[in-house]
DNA sequence: CTGTTAGCGCCTTCAG
DNA sequence: CTGAAGGCGCTAACAG
């Protein structure tokens, strides 16, 4: 490995001069500078970022830590990346280890401290994991769950979105709307708030949201949703609407209904949540609650940058408004 | 900030003993060890990984560098992550900067050297960018393009997959199969090989693959594919099969056909490539070429680990076999 | 089993 | 404008 002192020797100057030429932080005489650059070139020198980081006390890197690289998180990551780069830093994405006992947890403090800042998705995080996370470091929490007030937090208007989605179907004649992916017991995840909105819409319409209409979907996979809906159809449980707690779950429902010959939206209407890129293209087009991805990303980045500059402004808990995007899976209002 | 020497002083031992206790790399006497751990606890000490990295000359971190966090790359990342963790390292995912001129390029050598190893997706990489990448570092290239022999490289059996896909439709009666997302001129990306396979299948069936059937899709987005297919239908171009160069493109085609009332698979059959997680759920179920994600991940990890251990075994160029997964978008053979 | 020595490669500080 | 010294926090290698 060729180091800075090699370059210094080759150019006949001190290390400091090499450093100054490379960082451009100090004026260096033209001829000296040329000699240094020539030496850099001829030796093929490259800075060692690890050393720079130790010395500088920062890494110019921000991490986004998510439970998976898919779906909602992929969409968010794609929006956050350019904003972070615009601030002269890098974004790296890490997945929270599936194996919670692992020593390699991304959530270990040393690991978090390797970054100038961290976006941490709280989905799939245990409460005690969150307790161990220090609020001294620049950290912004993302996700649909109650979190301690000592953190900045960006979340969606889940109740409102679910209410909109459900009311949309009720207004269009649906009377038995499933909460697909809902929680039967208590729960602290996104499904909890979204189920609340689903229930609110029912009450606002003078309907009782029957508990039988709440259908859990393990792990919120399309696969599990598919099987849950197939089972409902087999059991002859009547329903004419589906509020899917997210689009991934909605995909499973759409497939199940379509394969069983149930027509969308004439026999059953359906609304999802997240408005994933593909949802517009899944026949008959999935009506979905759009999270305002750009606003999520912009807000999260704003909060993190504020925290990274060392501001001790009070922590903010921001709720991003959502919007219903109407497509073929729900009826047109005449 | 509390450092290791603080802990050492508090515990009344040398720094080395603290280090040994924490890393577990050397045997330390029970009572000493307890004193150290107590000191760590009471001071709230956490290792500084940056310093450890500099000293140890490794970061225990592997990067996967991809053009976007979506689709194919998300699937691959989800498979690679556990394998890397099993080796006691971390995986981080970086996106190649959209802005090629940026100083912050992920591809800069210093950045690559921050990692013990790198998986680099060559999709969307310019040839000169690849030329600048040193082959001395542990790097494994992923992607459907010719690369210099000095790299390890994992790719898919694109020609074979496309041939299978197209033959599948031809055997089922299709006579005019589009190459959706094909390249009209020359090209070096995945679409090139896949188009070759499409043409081969035609010739094997005694058909001439008409150039009019090759339909480019800018950026391979669902959106662009949707519009391309709509235009075809509007122009009355006859076709009864669609080979989509990837599933993202296939989604656009499915939406266009469905919205125009063209029945899949009776009027038009369709096959995609990549077998994304959602493809099984997009009505009527998208027949697709499955890349063998697990094999891709396992092979890539094997090659990288070999390279990270310093092996100078000859570079390998591995082609992963693919398999057609039959679903509702193509007809059943009677 | 524990401690000492000697840096890893870079950059801040202060002289010259 | 350039250089010398020192240290960021940690650990390999070797003593004891």
């Amino acid at each position: 490995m060729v180091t800075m002192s090699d370059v210094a020797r080759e150019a006949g100057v001190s290390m400091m001069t090499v450093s100054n030429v490379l960082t451009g932080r100090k004026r260096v005489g033209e001829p000296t500078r040329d000699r240094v650059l020539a030496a850099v070139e001829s030796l093929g020198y490259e800075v060692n970022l690890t050393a720079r980081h130790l010395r500088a006390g920062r890494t110019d890197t921000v991490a986004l830590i998510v439970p998976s690289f898919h779906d909602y998180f992929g969409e968010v990551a794609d929006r956050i990346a350019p904003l972070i780069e615009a601030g002269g830093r890098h974004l790296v994405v890490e997945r929270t280890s599936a194996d919670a006992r692992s020593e390699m947890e991304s959530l270990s403090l040393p690991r978090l401290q390797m970054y100038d800042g961290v976006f941490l998705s709280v989905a799939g995080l245990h409460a005690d994991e969150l307790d161990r996370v220090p609020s001294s470091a620049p950290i912004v929490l993302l996700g649909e769950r109650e979190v301690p007030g000592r953190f900045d937090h960006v979340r969606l208007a889940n109740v409102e979105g679910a209410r909109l989605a459900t009311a949309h179907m009720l207004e269009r004649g649906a009377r038995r709307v499933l909460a697909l992916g809902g929680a039967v017991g208590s729960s602290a995840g996104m499904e909890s708030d979204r189920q609340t909105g689903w229930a609110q819409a029912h009450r606002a319409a003078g309907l009782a949201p029957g508990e039988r209409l709440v259908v859990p979907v393990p792990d919120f996979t399309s696969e599990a949703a598919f099987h849950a809906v197939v089972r409902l159809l087999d059991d002859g449980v009547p329903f004419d609407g589906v509020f899917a707690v997210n689009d991934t779950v909605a995909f499973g429902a759409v497939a199940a209904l379509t394969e069983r010959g149930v027509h969308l939206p004439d026999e059953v209407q359906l609304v999802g949540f997240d408005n994933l890129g593909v949802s517009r293209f899944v026949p008959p087009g999935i009506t979905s609650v759009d999270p305002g991805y750009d606003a999520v990303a912009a807000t999260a980045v704003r909060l993190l940058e504020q925290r990274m500059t060392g501001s001790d402004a009070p922590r903010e808990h921001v709720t991003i408004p959502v919007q219903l995007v109407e497509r073929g899976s729900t009826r047109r209002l005449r």
Side-chain angles (χ1 to χ4, degrees), chain A residues 178 180 217 220-231 233 239 242 244-260 264 270 272 276 278-279 282-283 286:
Chain A
L178 302 180
L180 186 64
V217 173
F220 306 105
T221 63
S222 302
E223 191 74 29
F226 178 86
H227 291 300
V229 171
V230 164
R231 201 168 314 118
L233 294 171
F239 62 94
V242 178
V245 296
N246 67 34
D247 278 6
T248 303
V249 164
F251 299 149
V254 167
L257 294 169
T258 306
E259 289 182 20
R260 289 307 180 94
L264 284 160
L270 178 145
L276 298 180
V278 66
S279 298
V282 174
I286 298 182

Side-chain angles (χ1 to χ4, degrees), chain A residues 4-148:
Chain A
M4 206 146 154
S5 85
D6 296 329
V7 176
R9 194 170 340 101
E10 173 84 6
V13 298
S14 79
M15 266 179 68
M16 233 14 256
T17 302
V18 177
S19 176
N20 288 333
V21 168
L22 293 180
T23 59
R25 296 169 99 80
K26 275 193 172 174
R27 306 201 54 73
V28 174
E30 188 72 17
T32 327
R33 175 204 177 72
D34 288 347
R35 279 219 311 289
V36 169
L37 290 177
V40 165
E41 187 72 14
S42 81
L43 296 179
Y45 169 76
E46 301 285 340
V47 249
N48 179 325
L49 289 180
T50 304
R52 174 177 287 178
H53 293 165
L54 174 59
R55 189 59 245 233
R58 58 187 164 65
T59 58
D60 294 326
T61 302
V62 164
L64 168 64
I65 302 181
V66 293
S68 101
F69 297 123
H70 273 133
D71 300 343
Y72 180 77
F73 304 107
E75 304 272 352
V76 171
D78 271 333
R79 258 78 161 202
I80 286 182
L83 300 180
I84 289 297
E85 281 175 17
R89 275 183 266 253
H90 273 277
L91 180 76
V92 304
V93 183
E94 287 199 33
R95 209 180 66 150
T96 49
S97 173
D99 180 6
R101 297 148 308 182
S102 160
E103 283 298 314
M104 300 297 296
E105 299 171 83
S106 314
L107 295 177
S108 73
L109 269 55
R111 206 121 182 109
L112 293 181
Q113 285 168 347
M114 281 202 47
Y115 300 108
D116 291 350
V118 171
F119 298 108
L120 182 56
S121 164
V122 296
L125 233 59
H126 294 292
D128 58 328
E129 292 178 305
L130 201 48
D131 285 341
R132 286 205 318 273
V133 175
S135 36
S136 52
I139 292 184
V140 171
L141 262 30
L142 308 177
E144 320 316 317
R145 175 199 289 197
E146 286 307 323
V147 304

Side-chain angles (χ1 to χ4, degrees), chain A residues 289-325:
Chain A
V289 179
D290 186 286
Y293 286 108
D294 291 328
V296 169
T299 306
V301 170
R302 175 178 68 75
L303 292 177
L304 191 66
E305 301 219 301
Q306 172 177 307
R307 212 51 72 192
M308 285 190 296
T309 61
S311 157
D312 57 351
R315 310 292 184 219
E316 295 184 37
H317 285 221
V318 181
T319 299
I320 304 296
V322 300
Q323 202 175 346
L324 192 70
V325 178

